[in-house]
Amino acid sequence: MELRDPPTLPHILLVEDDTISQAYFRAVLESLPARVDATATQACALARARATRYDLWLIDLSLPDGTGTELLAQLLDRWPQPPPALAHTAEAGPGPRAEALRAGFGDLLVKPVSSAGLAAAVRTALAAGVALPDWDNAAAAIALNHDPANVKALRRLFLDELPGAHAAVVDSARKGDAATLRARLHRLQASCGLVGAPRLADAVESLRRTPESQAALERFDHAARDLIR
């Protein structure tokens, strides 16, 4: 029998100062499965993150020695190419969510969060952190009946239209024009599937789910610009 190396588990930094909540989060995360380093303060989290490249940061917005948004800003200074980050808080309402998304968190989980909800949010965030290729030739070939000429022609048209679509999405997102943003993203998502542009498609879906998120908008901007070059 061929022996294979065990799969590498995602490594998560959990920042939560309430001992019961920390134990609950750890149990759910480890059941995914995942490796979890749990800390209760900004200082401890920064010490951990200086030495370890994590696959996800899961951070409480309220900590004994500061806020989760302050912690995220310091982590982003340390890691210019950061992993996904999720915030969690016991405070419901639009204010904390908007603040978290502006700070760069991908989403905000409101406690108490169900085990299924926590697991789903973490899986989605981890998937978003996986590096996708700009082009998937196999997917495009399947979508266009395995005709290389069709793939080439449609990609040329896609790239001709992408600068205008990119500018329209960024403009509508910054203006908070939700209707225009949804329409533009819907058209782009369909086009990405046809031409086999998985990285941009993933960024489009992330922005569609969290249109208020500055991090999602930046992911979209970078993915589109890399194709436009």
Side-chain angles (χ1 to χ4, degrees), residues 140-160:
I142 292 170
L144 297 171
N145 297 318
H146 298 276
D147 187 333
N150 281 348
V151 174
K152 186 175 181 180
L154 203 59
R155 279 188 179 168
R156 186 181 302 117
L157 179 61
F158 175 79
L159 289 173
D160 285 344

PDB file of all heavy atoms in Angstrom, residues 140-160:
ATOM      1  N   ALA A 140     -12.937  26.743 -19.594  1.00  0.00           N
ATOM      2  CA  ALA A 140     -13.382  27.501 -20.769  1.00  0.00           C
ATOM      3  C   ALA A 140     -13.669  26.565 -21.938  1.00  0.00           C
ATOM      4  O   ALA A 140     -14.645  26.756 -22.672  1.00  0.00           O
ATOM      5  CB  ALA A 140     -12.322  28.529 -21.158  1.00  0.00           C
ATOM      6  N   ALA A 141     -12.829  25.558 -22.109  1.00  0.00           N
ATOM      7  CA  ALA A 141     -13.031  24.617 -23.206  1.00  0.00           C
ATOM      8  C   ALA A 141     -14.356  23.879 -23.064  1.00  0.00           C
ATOM      9  O   ALA A 141     -15.098  23.694 -24.031  1.00  0.00           O
ATOM     10  CB  ALA A 141     -11.872  23.632 -23.262  1.00  0.00           C
ATOM     11  N   ILE A 142     -14.681  23.467 -21.844  1.00  0.00           N
ATOM     12  CA  ILE A 142     -15.948  22.769 -21.607  1.00  0.00           C
ATOM     13  C   ILE A 142     -17.122  23.694 -21.907  1.00  0.00           C
ATOM     14  O   ILE A 142     -18.112  23.303 -22.539  1.00  0.00           O
ATOM     15  CB  ILE A 142     -16.004  22.256 -20.156  1.00  0.00           C
ATOM     16  CG1 ILE A 142     -14.981  21.134 -19.961  1.00  0.00           C
ATOM     17  CG2 ILE A 142     -17.404  21.763 -19.801  1.00  0.00           C
ATOM     18  CD1 ILE A 142     -14.795  20.722 -18.518  1.00  0.00           C
ATOM     19  N   ALA A 143     -17.027  24.953 -21.453  1.00  0.00           N
ATOM     20  CA  ALA A 143     -18.125  25.905 -21.645  1.00  0.00           C
ATOM     21  C   ALA A 143     -18.334  26.250 -23.114  1.00  0.00           C
ATOM     22  O   ALA A 143     -19.452  26.567 -23.532  1.00  0.00           O
ATOM     23  CB  ALA A 143     -17.847  27.177 -20.849  1.00  0.00           C
ATOM     24  N   LEU A 144     -17.268  26.168 -23.923  1.00  0.00           N
ATOM     25  CA  LEU A 144     -17.341  26.601 -25.327  1.00  0.00           C
ATOM     26  C   LEU A 144     -17.111  25.444 -26.292  1.00  0.00           C
ATOM     27  O   LEU A 144     -16.490  25.598 -27.351  1.00  0.00           O
ATOM     28  CB  LEU A 144     -16.331  27.723 -25.570  1.00  0.00           C
ATOM     29  CG  LEU A 144     -16.598  28.992 -24.750  1.00  0.00           C
ATOM     30  CD1 LEU A 144     -15.443  29.977 -24.861  1.00  0.00           C
ATOM     31  CD2 LEU A 144     -17.891  29.650 -25.201  1.00  0.00           C
ATOM     32  N   ASN A 145     -17.591  24.260 -25.924  1.00  0.00           N
ATOM     33  CA  ASN A 145     -17.606  23.085 -26.807  1.00  0.00           C
ATOM     34  C   ASN A 145     -16.226  22.686 -27.319  1.00  0.00           C
ATOM     35  O   ASN A 145     -16.080  22.231 -28.459  1.00  0.00           O
ATOM     36  CB  ASN A 145     -18.538  23.332 -28.001  1.00  0.00           C
ATOM     37  CG  ASN A 145     -19.973  23.527 -27.576  1.00  0.00           C
ATOM     38  OD1 ASN A 145     -20.473  22.819 -26.717  1.00  0.00           O
ATOM     39  ND2 ASN A 145     -20.642  24.503 -28.182  1.00  0.00           N
ATOM     40  N   HIS A 146     -15.228  22.896 -26.490  1.00  0.00           N
ATOM     41  CA  HIS A 146     -13.861  22.454 -26.800  1.00  0.00           C
ATOM     42  C   HIS A 146     -13.348  23.033 -28.118  1.00  0.00           C
ATOM     43  O   HIS A 146     -12.612  22.365 -28.860  1.00  0.00           O
ATOM     44  CB  HIS A 146     -13.793  20.922 -26.823  1.00  0.00           C
ATOM     45  CG  HIS A 146     -14.137  20.297 -25.508  1.00  0.00           C
ATOM     46  ND1 HIS A 146     -13.222  20.131 -24.493  1.00  0.00           N
ATOM     47  CD2 HIS A 146     -15.323  19.821 -25.034  1.00  0.00           C
ATOM     48  CE1 HIS A 146     -13.825  19.569 -23.450  1.00  0.00           C
ATOM     49  NE2 HIS A 146     -15.090  19.370 -23.752  1.00  0.00           N
ATOM     50  N   ASP A 147     -13.721  24.268 -28.392  1.00  0.00           N
ATOM     51  CA  ASP A 147     -13.269  24.940 -29.612  1.00  0.00           C
ATOM     52  C   ASP A 147     -12.271  26.029 -29.236  1.00  0.00           C
ATOM     53  O   ASP A 147     -12.663  27.093 -28.738  1.00  0.00           O
ATOM     54  CB  ASP A 147     -14.464  25.556 -30.343  1.00  0.00           C
ATOM     55  CG  ASP A 147     -14.082  26.131 -31.702  1.00  0.00           C
ATOM     56  OD1 ASP A 147     -12.916  26.524 -31.876  1.00  0.00           O
ATOM     57  OD2 ASP A 147     -14.953  26.187 -32.587  1.00  0.00           O
ATOM     58  N   PRO A 148     -10.960  25.802 -29.454  1.00  0.00           N
ATOM     59  CA  PRO A 148      -9.949  26.788 -29.048  1.00  0.00           C
ATOM     60  C   PRO A 148     -10.165  28.156 -29.680  1.00  0.00           C
ATOM     61  O   PRO A 148      -9.873  29.189 -29.062  1.00  0.00           O
ATOM     62  CB  PRO A 148      -8.629  26.165 -29.517  1.00  0.00           C
ATOM     63  CG  PRO A 148      -8.912  24.710 -29.639  1.00  0.00           C
ATOM     64  CD  PRO A 148     -10.356  24.605 -30.038  1.00  0.00           C
ATOM     65  N   ALA A 149     -10.670  28.179 -30.906  1.00  0.00           N
ATOM     66  CA  ALA A 149     -10.901  29.464 -31.572  1.00  0.00           C
ATOM     67  C   ALA A 149     -11.981  30.258 -30.838  1.00  0.00           C
ATOM     68  O   ALA A 149     -11.872  31.486 -30.690  1.00  0.00           O
ATOM     69  CB  ALA A 149     -11.298  29.238 -33.030  1.00  0.00           C
ATOM     70  N   ASN A 150     -13.021  29.562 -30.385  1.00  0.00           N
ATOM     71  CA  ASN A 150     -14.081  30.236 -29.629  1.00  0.00           C
ATOM     72  C   ASN A 150     -13.545  30.798 -28.320  1.00  0.00           C
ATOM     73  O   ASN A 150     -13.907  31.915 -27.908  1.00  0.00           O
ATOM     74  CB  ASN A 150     -15.230  29.266 -29.334  1.00  0.00           C
ATOM     75  CG  ASN A 150     -16.140  29.084 -30.530  1.00  0.00           C
ATOM     76  OD1 ASN A 150     -16.055  29.820 -31.499  1.00  0.00           O
ATOM     77  ND2 ASN A 150     -17.002  28.075 -30.477  1.00  0.00           N
ATOM     78  N   VAL A 151     -12.726  30.002 -27.628  1.00  0.00           N
ATOM     79  CA  VAL A 151     -12.144  30.450 -26.367  1.00  0.00           C
ATOM     80  C   VAL A 151     -11.311  31.708 -26.587  1.00  0.00           C
ATOM     81  O   VAL A 151     -11.446  32.704 -25.858  1.00  0.00           O
ATOM     82  CB  VAL A 151     -11.275  29.338 -25.736  1.00  0.00           C
ATOM     83  CG1 VAL A 151     -10.546  29.871 -24.500  1.00  0.00           C
ATOM     84  CG2 VAL A 151     -12.127  28.134 -25.357  1.00  0.00           C
ATOM     85  N   LYS A 152     -10.453  31.670 -27.600  1.00  0.00           N
ATOM     86  CA  LYS A 152      -9.578  32.811 -27.877  1.00  0.00           C
ATOM     87  C   LYS A 152     -10.380  34.060 -28.221  1.00  0.00           C
ATOM     88  O   LYS A 152     -10.117  35.158 -27.714  1.00  0.00           O
ATOM     89  CB  LYS A 152      -8.627  32.460 -29.024  1.00  0.00           C
ATOM     90  CG  LYS A 152      -7.582  33.528 -29.305  1.00  0.00           C
ATOM     91  CD  LYS A 152      -6.605  33.055 -30.373  1.00  0.00           C
ATOM     92  CE  LYS A 152      -5.546  34.112 -30.646  1.00  0.00           C
ATOM     93  NZ  LYS A 152      -4.584  33.649 -31.688  1.00  0.00           N
ATOM     94  N   ALA A 153     -11.390  33.913 -29.074  1.00  0.00           N
ATOM     95  CA  ALA A 153     -12.186  35.063 -29.506  1.00  0.00           C
ATOM     96  C   ALA A 153     -12.992  35.651 -28.354  1.00  0.00           C
ATOM     97  O   ALA A 153     -13.065  36.882 -28.191  1.00  0.00           O
ATOM     98  CB  ALA A 153     -13.109  34.643 -30.644  1.00  0.00           C
ATOM     99  N   LEU A 154     -13.592  34.775 -27.540  1.00  0.00           N
ATOM    100  CA  LEU A 154     -14.425  35.272 -26.442  1.00  0.00           C
ATOM    101  C   LEU A 154     -13.574  35.923 -25.356  1.00  0.00           C
ATOM    102  O   LEU A 154     -13.976  36.927 -24.757  1.00  0.00           O
ATOM    103  CB  LEU A 154     -15.265  34.135 -25.860  1.00  0.00           C
ATOM    104  CG  LEU A 154     -16.527  34.581 -25.116  1.00  0.00           C
ATOM    105  CD1 LEU A 154     -17.441  35.365 -26.046  1.00  0.00           C
ATOM    106  CD2 LEU A 154     -17.277  33.383 -24.558  1.00  0.00           C
ATOM    107  N   ARG A 155     -12.387  35.386 -25.117  1.00  0.00           N
ATOM    108  CA  ARG A 155     -11.499  36.017 -24.143  1.00  0.00           C
ATOM    109  C   ARG A 155     -11.041  37.389 -24.616  1.00  0.00           C
ATOM    110  O   ARG A 155     -10.917  38.322 -23.816  1.00  0.00           O
ATOM    111  CB  ARG A 155     -10.295  35.117 -23.853  1.00  0.00           C
ATOM    112  CG  ARG A 155     -10.605  34.015 -22.869  1.00  0.00           C
ATOM    113  CD  ARG A 155      -9.372  33.272 -22.454  1.00  0.00           C
ATOM    114  NE  ARG A 155      -9.703  32.220 -21.488  1.00  0.00           N
ATOM    115  CZ  ARG A 155      -8.872  31.266 -21.112  1.00  0.00           C
ATOM    116  NH1 ARG A 155      -7.642  31.215 -21.625  1.00  0.00           N
ATOM    117  NH2 ARG A 155      -9.240  30.361 -20.227  1.00  0.00           N
ATOM    118  N   ARG A 156     -10.795  37.517 -25.917  1.00  0.00           N
ATOM    119  CA  ARG A 156     -10.394  38.823 -26.445  1.00  0.00           C
ATOM    120  C   ARG A 156     -11.510  39.841 -26.226  1.00  0.00           C
ATOM    121  O   ARG A 156     -11.275  40.970 -25.793  1.00  0.00           O
ATOM    122  CB  ARG A 156     -10.057  38.705 -27.929  1.00  0.00           C
ATOM    123  CG  ARG A 156      -9.492  40.007 -28.521  1.00  0.00           C
ATOM    124  CD  ARG A 156      -9.180  39.869 -30.008  1.00  0.00           C
ATOM    125  NE  ARG A 156      -8.227  38.793 -30.250  1.00  0.00           N
ATOM    126  CZ  ARG A 156      -8.505  37.701 -30.955  1.00  0.00           C
ATOM    127  NH1 ARG A 156      -9.713  37.517 -31.454  1.00  0.00           N
ATOM    128  NH2 ARG A 156      -7.589  36.791 -31.159  1.00  0.00           N
ATOM    129  N   LEU A 157     -12.757  39.420 -26.504  1.00  0.00           N
ATOM    130  CA  LEU A 157     -13.903  40.306 -26.289  1.00  0.00           C
ATOM    131  C   LEU A 157     -14.071  40.633 -24.807  1.00  0.00           C
ATOM    132  O   LEU A 157     -14.342  41.781 -24.427  1.00  0.00           O
ATOM    133  CB  LEU A 157     -15.167  39.648 -26.830  1.00  0.00           C
ATOM    134  CG  LEU A 157     -16.481  40.428 -26.660  1.00  0.00           C
ATOM    135  CD1 LEU A 157     -16.406  41.761 -27.386  1.00  0.00           C
ATOM    136  CD2 LEU A 157     -17.645  39.591 -27.173  1.00  0.00           C
ATOM    137  N   PHE A 158     -13.900  39.614 -23.960  1.00  0.00           N
ATOM    138  CA  PHE A 158     -14.008  39.783 -22.513  1.00  0.00           C
ATOM    139  C   PHE A 158     -12.998  40.819 -22.016  1.00  0.00           C
ATOM    140  O   PHE A 158     -13.336  41.726 -21.242  1.00  0.00           O
ATOM    141  CB  PHE A 158     -13.790  38.432 -21.830  1.00  0.00           C
ATOM    142  CG  PHE A 158     -13.757  38.474 -20.331  1.00  0.00           C
ATOM    143  CD1 PHE A 158     -14.922  38.551 -19.594  1.00  0.00           C
ATOM    144  CD2 PHE A 158     -12.547  38.402 -19.651  1.00  0.00           C
ATOM    145  CE1 PHE A 158     -14.897  38.576 -18.200  1.00  0.00           C
ATOM    146  CE2 PHE A 158     -12.505  38.427 -18.263  1.00  0.00           C
ATOM    147  CZ  PHE A 158     -13.682  38.506 -17.546  1.00  0.00           C
ATOM    148  N   LEU A 159     -11.757  40.710 -22.484  1.00  0.00           N
ATOM    149  CA  LEU A 159     -10.711  41.630 -22.043  1.00  0.00           C
ATOM    150  C   LEU A 159     -10.919  43.027 -22.612  1.00  0.00           C
ATOM    151  O   LEU A 159     -10.528  44.024 -21.979  1.00  0.00           O
ATOM    152  CB  LEU A 159      -9.343  41.090 -22.442  1.00  0.00           C
ATOM    153  CG  LEU A 159      -8.876  39.861 -21.641  1.00  0.00           C
ATOM    154  CD1 LEU A 159      -7.580  39.303 -22.227  1.00  0.00           C
ATOM    155  CD2 LEU A 159      -8.687  40.198 -20.172  1.00  0.00           C
ATOM    156  N   ASP A 160     -11.519  43.131 -23.792  1.00  0.00           N
ATOM    157  CA  ASP A 160     -11.837  44.453 -24.346  1.00  0.00           C
ATOM    158  C   ASP A 160     -12.875  45.173 -23.483  1.00  0.00           C
ATOM    159  O   ASP A 160     -12.820  46.404 -23.316  1.00  0.00           O
ATOM    160  CB  ASP A 160     -12.371  44.315 -25.772  1.00  0.00           C
ATOM    161  CG  ASP A 160     -11.274  43.997 -26.782  1.00  0.00           C
ATOM    162  OD1 ASP A 160     -10.089  44.176 -26.444  1.00  0.00           O
ATOM    163  OD2 ASP A 160     -11.606  43.550 -27.897  1.00  0.00           O
TER     164      ASP A 160
END
